Each structure stands twice: as structure tokens, then as C-alpha cells.
Amino acid sequence: AQSVTQLGSHVSVSEGALVLLRCNYSSSVPPYLFWYVQYPNQGLQLLLKYTSAATLVKGINGFEAEFKKSETSFHLTKPSAHMSDAAEYFCAVSLQTGANNLFFGTGTRLTVIP
Amino acid sequence: TAGITQAPTSQILAAGRSMTLRCTQDMRHNAMYWYRQDLGLGLRLIHYSNTAGTTGKGEVPDGYSVSRANTDDFPLTLASAVPSQTSVYFCASRLANTGELFFGEGSRLTVL
């Protein structure tokens, strides 16, 4: 069975500082991995995805994530936090793009301190 | 473009009453999903539909039913609501070739 673990339900960073949100996955086969962002009172929207092509994936709003098979990780980073990055971030895993389910992590709430 | 439209955005419901949450998409995606979001638990799949006329159970299907009469609509029904069904419900559809999910803005349901 596949699952994801997001380390840290809350992360606070200063504006301009590095953002690092951690995600580890478990999967019996090579996974498809996603990061979604949820702004207050909105649905989730896709930030980026890994589907077995390049291991370093670039997404919207300056975010990127690196798939590391040896560490079973897919951490999300951004070099310089902006106030508008404050949101909840969800990591998700699927066995294939057409799978019936994405398994979501429990989410990490990012706070950006001015 | 509208994408996924959910209604109502918020509802307070007495326990034992029935309720249907509506979901409509205008992207002609085959696959659609209902998730519930609860604090500390992330999103959990309730039911899904791979194409019109078919549905399947997700991780937490008990107490919920769905139908998929056509491509655009995927309503979620609570036949007899209980307080544990208090949650935020999200409808989503999937773009087939990338696997990306598109979400509605959610329906906040409170069962008293």
C-alpha cells in the first residue's frame, strides 16, 4: 500500500528565507508524487508533480521538489519565501496517473513572518 | 472558466436529515471524486467515478452514496446525517493524461 508522511504540521519561516516542507512516501512500486497547495477557504491546486521523468521538478510560484528514491522523499522547497506563500501544503502519492486514488498527507501549514 | 462548481458552500444540518451536495464540472473529465477534509487527517476519498455510469467506494464510503448519470454531474448524498459527518467536502475531477486533480472550493457541512 502507498502512503505519505509529512513531517511537521506547522512550519514558520521569515519572509525571504528558505522554505522546506518535508514529505516521505512509501510505495511498493515507483510512485507518482504530487504537491498541492490550499489557500484559505479554497480548494486544492496543483503545485508540481513527479511522474518518473526528471527527478528535480519545478512548479508554479518558484517552488520545486526533488524525488530521491534512496531516501523515499519528495521535499518541497522555495529559495525565498513570500507573504503570499502562506497556505496549507499537501503531498500526495499515486501508483499511476490514472489511479483511482491519490493518497494525501495530513498537510503542513506554512506561516510566513514579515 | 468555472471548472468545478460545488453547492452549497455551507450548510447546517440536523442529525438524521438527508442532504445532497452538488458537484458540476465543465471540463469533460471522465473521472470525478469526493473527498472529505478533516483537521489532522488530510483528505480522504469517499467515492469516485471513473466514467459516467460507474462509481466506486473510496477509503471512507459508509454513510454516503453517489451517482453519475452523466459526465458533468457527481452528487454526493448523505441519507441520514450524523455529527461525525461534519467536515469540509471537496469534489474533484482528473485530467486523464497528467493525473492532475482539479478541485472545487468545498462545501462546509455541520451536522448537529
Side-chain angles (χ1 to χ4, degrees), chain B:
Chain B
T1 57
I4 300 277
T5 302
Q6 291 185 234
T9 56
S10 181
Q11 182 75 44
I12 298 174
L13 188 65
R17 301 295 296 268
S18 66
M19 176 75 194
T20 294
L21 304 180
R22 301 184 297 280
C23 174
T24 299
Q25 57 131 339
D26 63 1
M27 297 174 285
R28 307 300 292 172
H29 291 166
N30 283 325
M32 297 188 73
Y33 307 84
W34 274 105
Y35 287 90
R36 59 177 290 174
Q37 183 179 24
D38 302 289
L39 192 64
L41 297 177
L43 279 84
R44 294 178 293 169
L45 182 67
I46 304 170
H47 285 287
Y48 65 90
S49 170
N50 285 331
T51 189
T54 68
T55 62
K57 294 181 179 180
E59 183 183 357
V60 288
D62 295 343
Y64 306 94
S65 63
V66 292
S67 62
R68 188 85 183 279
N70 56 63
T71 297
D72 297 343
D73 301 300
F74 190 44
L76 176 73
T77 297
L78 289 69
S80 179
V82 295
S84 61
Q85 292 178 309
T86 294
S87 187
V88 181
Y89 292 85
F90 287 98
C91 181
S93 67
R94 189 182 78 229
L95 182 61
N97 60 342
T98 67
E100 177 180 356
L101 293 183
F102 292 81
F103 286 83
E105 297 199 344
S107 295
R108 183 175 297 275
L109 180 65
T110 302
V111 182
L112 301 176

Side-chain angles (χ1 to χ4, degrees), chain A residues 2 9 14 16 35-36 41 47 53 58 62 68-69 78 85-86 89-90 95-96 99 109-110 113:
Chain A
Q2 59 273 17
S9 58
S14 297
W35 275 100
Y36 283 82
N41 300 313
L47 264 183
K58 295 186 183 298
K68 291 187 176 181
K69 184 178 180 180
K78 181 174 180 178
D85 295 327
Y89 293 80
F90 292 91
L95 291 183
Q96 57 186 356
R109 181 168 299 279
L110 176 67
I113 303 166

Side-chain angles (χ1 to χ4, degrees), chain A residues 25-101:
Chain A
Y25 69 90
S26 65
S27 176
S28 56
V29 297
Y32 290 79
L33 293 159
F34 305 79
W35 275 100
Y36 283 82
V37 60
Q38 183 180 31
Y39 298 103
N41 300 313
Q42 294 186 24
L44 282 71
Q45 58 183 281
L46 183 69
L47 264 183
L48 50 79
K49 63 182 184 289
Y50 167 77
T51 56
S52 75
T55 56
L56 181 62
V57 181
K58 295 186 183 298
I60 61 172
N61 301 337
F63 284 93
E64 61 182 37
E66 185 172 8
F67 173 68
K68 291 187 176 181
K69 184 178 180 180
S70 61
E71 299 177 8
T72 61
S73 69
F74 191 56
H75 301 331
L76 181 70
T77 61
K78 181 174 180 178
S80 177
H82 192 273
M83 295 299 295
S84 62
D85 295 327
E88 187 138 20
Y89 293 80
F90 292 91
C91 183
V93 64
S94 171
L95 291 183
Q96 57 186 356
T97 57
N100 286 330
N101 195 11

